Each structure stands twice: as structure tokens, then as C-alpha cells.
Amino acid sequence: MTPPPPPEPDPTDAVAGEEEVLESWNEIPPTQEIDFVTLGMFIIDEIHHPPSLSLPPSLNIPGGAGTYSLLGARLFSPPPLLSSTTSMIIDCGSDFPPSLSAHLSSWQTSAIFRHNADRLTTKGYNGYSNPLDPSHRSFRYLTPKRRLTTDDLASLSPVLLTTKSLHLICSPLRCQELVTTFLSARKRYYSHQRPSEEHTRPVIIWEPVPDLCTPEELLNCTNTLPMVDVCSPNHAELAGFLGGTGVLEDGGVDALAVEKGCEQLLASMPLQSYTLVVRAGEKGAYIARNGGRKRTMKKVVGHRGGLTKETDMEELFRGLVMGVGEEEGVVAREEIEVDEGVERWLPAYWTGEEGREKVKDATGGGNTFLGGLGVALARGKGIEEAVGWGAVAASFAIEQVGMPELKGEGEEERWNGERVGDRLKSFMERVGLGEGEGK
């Protein structure tokens, strides 16, 4: 989607004694179907490579958790129809390079470019310098950040509230706030704009922010799990909640710590099914879903004005015991389905010697993974297949510094010279999950 030009300041728009912020953005058609939205930010990255590579810093690189997760969803969404089902908000300051605008617009997504000439674009420093964990990325902001909220979606383009999947990267408490406000705004949107249209709850993918993956936040984390569908820390972040490091003495991933950490976290909530997907770099990803219970509510419609000979008394009284629904004349009864759970490692796409040759920079790999996972769940894939989509998405993100190269259109679209569907099919067959089409 082509962004609009930056706004021209108009002194006549200012109100005496008040500072007027002039912003402009592109519109999304209200009928647009949306599969994936992220509330992660766009950031212009300054990447300082590991000392072992002896490379100069890479500057003006499009990045940020939002951008990479959008990439992950976009990889499986070729134009003209699917690319526009993916979206995010890109905040463009006065220093936003036109080359980045053209680059991101070439993806043909429903991204919103919001221009504000009174601020700078969010920029960040990325450095790889931890000798205990060479894959660990340190990060700090170089310019003020602008976090996104539900209000941004509702005010810029309310149709984004209809998304089938939502990606969040934040602390546990902020995740609770965002989920609550998003679901409330979504309910209001359907009530006022599409009252006759049925809608379901979106798939919510939560990526914990690294700085607050600490033992002090563990209780907040467990209180957040019931509000999301997938919680996806990396191995070090999961260990951080539990007071560990998740890293072996040689710098490798502590797979046993990952498995025990998931077991410990899920064991605290045995009555319902929760899903953890732990991203572990070259080791791959560990899927842990406990064998809890899934509850569904079945509505039983009663008869207004008293009982009739057609009334099913057994169903009526069973429903009354379980609770009365919101609508008059409707009762609900609970059906409990046993969830057998999942405990499984899936490898990364690039591994071993081939992986060491192919992987150039791991920045954004985890975010891209979650974009692929999110759009897969939005399109009805199971969690294991969705993790496969995530692994393939991440493989494209880490083959270079910055974003992969896109050429061609539609069925001829290539990223880094390869069809995403071909790579997905190869990976799915390798891990025993059958053929993948990527649509």
C-alpha cells in the first residue's frame, strides 16, 4: 500500500495557546479482511555485529518487532489477495527515509504509514557482545519511542479490530491491559458496525518483553496466560521468569531447562489448556501445551411465556444448573473436552554447518517466527504446523542483515530467490508434518 506524502504544516490549523500535532495516514477499506495485526513497533535499526565478524555497523535498517512479525505473516501472503490481510502501524517521523517507505510499500500489505513531522522516527541500537550467549542481542533506544495501543487501531482504521490474529510484545501487565482494551473495542465495533455478523475471539500471541522476564514478574506472567492463546518467550526469557539463564556453559541452549521450565509454568494451571512456544535459536522451538480441559458453552433456547409440550426438560434444567445466558430465553450448559496436550521440539530450518553458512544476522528472527506462526493459526492451522510456518519464516529473516529481498509477483514471488511454499513443503516433510502449501 502506497503511503501518503508527509503533511505540510498549515499555521491556520493551530489553536492559539495550544500545540497542534499534524498527522496523516493512509486509509484501509472498511471491507478489507484482516488475518494478522501486530502492535509491535517499527524501528530503524543500527546493528553492531559480533566482534568475531569484524564488520562495520549496518545503519538505517528497517526493523523493530512489529516490522519483523509483519514480514513473517507477509511471507505466506502473496498479493493480490493475501498480502493485504496483514497489517501494522508504521510511525514515520521527519527523518523517515523515502527509500524505506518505498521498500515497505512494495510488500503490498495493509500497513498504515502515520506521518508526523514534529517527531523523529524511533531508532534503536542492536549489539551482539555477550560472550556467554553469542546469540543474545542487547538493545537500547536512540530516539524516543512511540508505543502503540488499541486506541491507535480504533482511531486510524477500526477494521483492524476485526483481525483473526493479534501479536503483542510487552510486559505481562501491559499484555493484560492491551488484551482487555482490544477485546472491548472489538466487541463495540461489531455491535455498532456489523451487528448482524457473527465473530469469534482472535488468536492472541504474546511475546514477553525481555527486560521484564524476571522472577518478580512470574506471578504476573501466570495471570496473563489465561488471556492469550500462545505465550512465546525465547529460552533465556523463559529461564529469566524462573531465576535461571537457559544457557549452558558452552553458550548453547539448555534444552532440559526449557522443558522443565515449561512443565513448571504449566503445572501451576492444570485445569485449562495453555500453550507455550519457546524459541531457542539454532535448537529450534519447543511446543508445550498442557493436557487441561477445554470448555465450550452450548446455548439452549427456552420458550418465552412458559413451558410448552415441546420443551426439552432435561436440556432446560441441565442448562439452568450451568448458568443463564445473556439473552432472554437462552440458557447455557458447559461441555468439557479433554486436551491431550503437546510436548515436542521442532528444529530450526537452518541447522548445523549449513546453518552457520546461511545465517548472517539473527536480528528479528524470533519476531518473524511469530508472524508466521500467527498467520498460520489465523488460517486454521494446528499449533505444530504453525510452528513449522514460524521456522520457515525465521529462516528468510536471518539470511542477511535487514529484510530479505523480494522479487516477482503472485505465484512467481521469490524471497531471497526462493518460493516460500517450496521451502515450507521441504521443511514439513523433513519434520514429519506432511506437505505444506503456505496459504
Side-chain angles (χ1 to χ4, degrees):
M1 179 173 291
T2 303
E8 293 292 336
D10 184 352
T12 62
D13 290 339
V15 178
E18 295 184 4
E19 180 180 355
E20 184 73 12
V21 177
L22 299 177
E23 294 185 333
S24 67
W25 57 88
N26 49 288
E27 300 287 343
I28 301 176
T31 57
Q32 175 63 55
E33 184 175 349
I34 303 294
D35 287 344
F36 178 86
V37 168
T38 177
L39 280 178
M41 293 186 295
F42 172 85
I43 299 175
I44 297 179
D45 277 337
E46 179 180 300
I47 299 176
H48 292 255
H49 305 281
S52 61
L53 297 181
S54 301
L55 293 174
S58 299
L59 307 178
N60 284 333
I61 304 298
T67 314
Y68 276 106
S69 63
L70 179 68
L71 168 67
R74 170 61 181 85
L75 284 164
F76 298 98
S77 308
L81 298 179
L82 290 179
S83 61
S84 59
T85 69
T86 63
S87 184
M88 69 173 294
I89 296 173
I90 299 174
D91 278 307
C92 311
S94 59
D95 58 343
F96 193 80
S99 60
L100 291 188
S101 180
H103 182 186
L104 297 170
S105 296
S106 71
W107 293 2
Q108 301 181 53
T109 69
S110 288
I112 294 178
F113 291 79
R114 177 167 58 182
H115 289 277
N116 185 331
D118 293 334
R119 68 183 302 272
L120 297 175
T121 307
T122 303
K123 294 185 178 181
Y125 164 93
N126 292 271
Y128 296 85
S129 57
N130 186 343
L132 296 179
D133 184 4
S135 66
H136 175 74
R137 181 192 70 178
S138 59
F139 176 84
R140 69 174 184 270
Y141 288 101
L142 299 175
T143 60
K145 64 181 179 180
R146 182 173 184 176
R147 294 198 305 183
L148 299 173
T149 68
T150 297
D151 287 342
D152 291 305
L153 300 180
S155 62
L156 296 181
S157 187
V159 73
L160 296 181
L161 297 171
T162 69
T163 183
K164 296 174 185 175
S165 64
L166 177 68
H167 167 251
L168 306 172
I169 175 168
C170 52
S171 68
L173 290 179
R174 187 159 188 265
C175 181
Q176 294 176 31
E177 176 187 354
L178 288 173
V179 171
T180 300
T181 57
F182 180 85
L183 293 180
S184 296
R186 179 183 175 94
K187 182 177 180 180
R188 288 194 300 271
Y189 175 84
Y190 275 100
S191 176
H192 295 132
Q193 302 297 325
R194 305 182 182 184
S196 61
E197 184 175 329
E198 293 186 3
H199 64 282
T200 58
R201 173 189 163 94
V203 176
I204 299 176
I205 301 99
W206 172 42
E207 182 179 355
V209 67
D211 292 347
L212 290 177
C213 292
T214 64
E216 292 76 18
E217 288 291 319
L218 178 58
L219 180 59
N220 289 331
C221 175
T222 57
N223 288 337
T224 304
L225 289 180
M227 304 182 71
V228 302
D229 296 278
V230 177
C231 172
S232 183
N234 66 26
H235 60 286
E237 293 158 359
L238 172 66
F241 278 124
L242 302 172
T245 65
V247 179
L248 299 171
E249 292 184 1
D250 63 0
V253 173
D254 189 340
L256 183 60
V258 169
E259 295 170 13
K260 288 186 175 180
C262 288
E263 182 180 359
Q264 181 179 342
L265 200 57
L266 295 179
S268 63
M269 293 162 294
L271 297 181
Q272 280 187 277
S273 181
Y274 302 97
T275 301
L276 299 174
V277 176
V278 182
R279 295 164 284 115
E282 184 181 354
K283 177 68 177 176
Y286 183 65
I287 309 166
R289 189 180 69 226
N290 62 346
R293 299 183 298 175
K294 296 186 290 187
R295 295 176 171 83
T296 58
M297 302 300 292
K298 179 179 179 180
K299 290 184 177 181
V300 182
V301 181
H303 295 265
R304 300 180 183 180
L307 302 177
T308 70
K309 62 181 181 180
E310 289 82 14
T311 301
D312 186 331
M313 299 298 294
E314 181 180 353
E315 291 294 324
L316 178 61
F317 281 108
R318 184 183 294 115
L320 288 171
V321 170
M322 297 310 299
V324 179
E326 294 181 355
E327 302 169 323
E328 183 182 355
V330 175
V331 295
R333 64 182 173 88
E334 186 180 50
E335 295 183 329
I336 298 176
E337 178 183 349
V338 176
D339 183 347
E340 296 181 356
V342 177
E343 295 178 354
R344 180 177 182 180
W345 281 97
L346 283 179
Y349 185 85
W350 295 123
T351 59
E353 188 62 34
E354 184 182 23
R356 283 184 281 276
E357 293 178 0
K358 282 287 188 177
V359 176
K360 299 298 187 293
D361 182 57
T363 303
N367 310 129
T368 309
F369 176 100
L370 292 177
L373 179 145
V375 81
L377 293 175
R379 294 174 186 165
K381 307 301 181 182
I383 187 62
E384 292 173 83
E385 188 173 355
V387 168
W389 284 41
V392 170
S395 73
F396 285 97
I398 61 180
E399 291 177 351
Q400 66 288 307
V401 175
M403 300 294 162
E405 183 181 40
L406 169 62
K407 290 185 177 181
E409 294 185 2
E411 294 298 324
E412 298 303 315
E413 183 173 272
R414 301 288 191 277
W415 293 83
N416 289 349
E418 187 173 351
R419 289 182 68 253
V420 176
D422 291 342
R423 186 175 290 190
L424 178 63
K425 180 179 180 181
S426 171
F427 182 73
M428 291 301 194
E429 291 175 348
R430 188 206 313 175
V431 300
L433 288 176
E435 297 184 2
E437 296 296 333
K439 295 181 181 180

